[in-house]
Amino acid sequence: MVSSGGRPYQEEPMRVAVIENMRNTGLGALAAALDEAGAEIEWFRVWQDGVLPKDISGHDALVVLGGEQSALDDQTHPYLPELVRLTRRFGDAGKAVLGICLGSQILARAYGADNHLGIAREFGWHGIGVTGEGRADPLLSALGGEFTIFEWHADTFSLPEGAVRLASSSVAENQAFRIGRAVYGTQFHFEANSTVVEQWKAEFPDTIARIAPGWLENYAELAARHGRAADAAGLAIARAWVSLIERQEVEMLSQASA
């Protein structure tokens, strides 16, 4: 590719900011898709220091991961209002944005929707229905009318004005949505492949035993039944979103004119 002046462009690697709201969250399938695309990932571990990207110019895309807090816990997590504004700035600039679980709830808040706390508990592998709009959307079009994926949430949200509902379940109507070209929220954890789920099982056994009695005891059977299909669906979603990231091109002078 060349510029209007005849000089070549050098395509920079896509630069993706990842907001980690809780330690050791894990990128799973999304890490694989970003690695395939040669992306550069910059982590912002706000659970540790509250530091966020200073502006949107340094990254081509933004990912907001899950966490144990709610999207409204501003008092205990004072970085949240700024993160809400940041997601909106990325989206309004036409950049790719992805909110997963808590991230989707933060994204919904950023676009003026309501957060509903503690009314939609789902844990483990569940079936998700794809809407008609979702079947035609780049994110989910490869998955047909239904797919199995991992869930871990108690909160939900109303659909932001202007958003398109892409997927739904009987517990949480808004499982996935899109705003504009490439702003996506998924209530489900498509990034949580078998490796990530195994890590969560090892790290949070007490929490899991409390919210999902019997799940740990039945884990081997459940993983054998659902893990492979969920892994395939999660990777397909991850690759689809990564394909929507638009790289910023930098004009480079040729060696001869340097």
Side-chain angles (χ1 to χ4, degrees):
M1 183 180 293
V2 296
S3 71
S4 58
R7 295 190 295 265
Y9 280 105
Q10 178 174 309
E11 190 176 74
E12 296 253 318
M14 63 178 68
R15 300 161 298 169
V16 180
V18 175
I19 311 300
E20 188 181 47
N21 290 288
M22 182 178 176
R23 67 186 298 270
N24 296 333
T25 305
L27 278 178
L30 188 56
L34 288 168
D35 184 64
E36 289 172 355
E40 294 181 354
I41 300 173
E42 184 174 2
W43 286 85
F44 293 85
R45 294 184 167 88
V46 290
W47 58 268
Q48 187 175 50
D49 54 22
V51 175
L52 290 163
K54 293 181 180 179
D55 55 46
I56 68 171
S57 64
H59 303 92
D60 303 306
L62 175 70
V63 176
V64 184
L65 297 176
E68 60 189 347
Q69 65 270 46
S70 86
L72 302 179
D73 280 339
D74 296 356
Q75 290 192 343
T76 54
H77 298 79
Y79 68 86
L80 277 173
E82 179 56 29
L83 178 54
V84 169
R85 291 189 288 269
L86 183 71
T87 60
R88 184 65 185 258
R89 289 200 297 272
F90 265 85
D92 288 351
K95 298 193 175 191
V97 180
L98 175 64
I100 301 175
C101 198
L102 171 64
S104 71
Q105 297 157 13
I106 290 171
L107 190 58
R109 176 183 171 184
Y111 281 86
D114 295 323
N115 293 105
H116 304 298
L117 309 185
I119 66 168
R121 185 175 298 280
E122 290 180 289
F123 179 85
W125 288 283
H126 289 272
I128 301 295
V130 182
T131 66
E133 292 84 356
R135 293 187 188 97
D137 190 272
L139 193 74
L140 303 180
S141 60
L143 300 179
E146 186 175 359
F147 60 94
T148 298
I149 212 75
F150 201 83
E151 300 267 17
W152 191 346
H153 66 96
D155 299 342
T156 186
F157 49 86
S158 61
L159 191 68
E161 184 176 355
V164 179
R165 181 183 294 113
L166 305 177
S168 188
S169 77
S170 60
V171 175
E173 183 179 27
N174 298 315
Q175 286 284 350
F177 66 89
R178 188 195 77 244
I179 297 172
R181 182 189 68 86
V183 176
Y184 285 92
T186 69
Q187 181 60 77
F188 50 81
H189 283 280
F190 73 84
E191 87 289 4
N193 56 21
S194 295
T195 300
V196 171
V197 174
E198 184 72 32
Q199 291 170 346
W200 289 351
K201 169 180 169 286
E203 189 165 353
F204 307 109
D206 294 340
T207 300
I208 293 172
R210 176 175 53 82
I211 65 174
W215 188 87
L216 291 171
E217 291 77 9
N218 295 319
Y219 170 74
E221 177 188 350
L222 292 168
R225 188 189 311 165
H226 302 299
R228 182 174 296 182
D231 286 0
L235 186 56
I237 295 170
R239 286 170 170 165
W241 182 75
V242 171
S243 74
L244 297 172
I245 299 174
E246 294 183 344
R247 294 175 177 87
Q248 185 174 0
E249 293 170 345
V250 178
E251 187 174 341
M252 302 293 292
L253 292 175
S254 67
Q255 291 276 352
S257 60

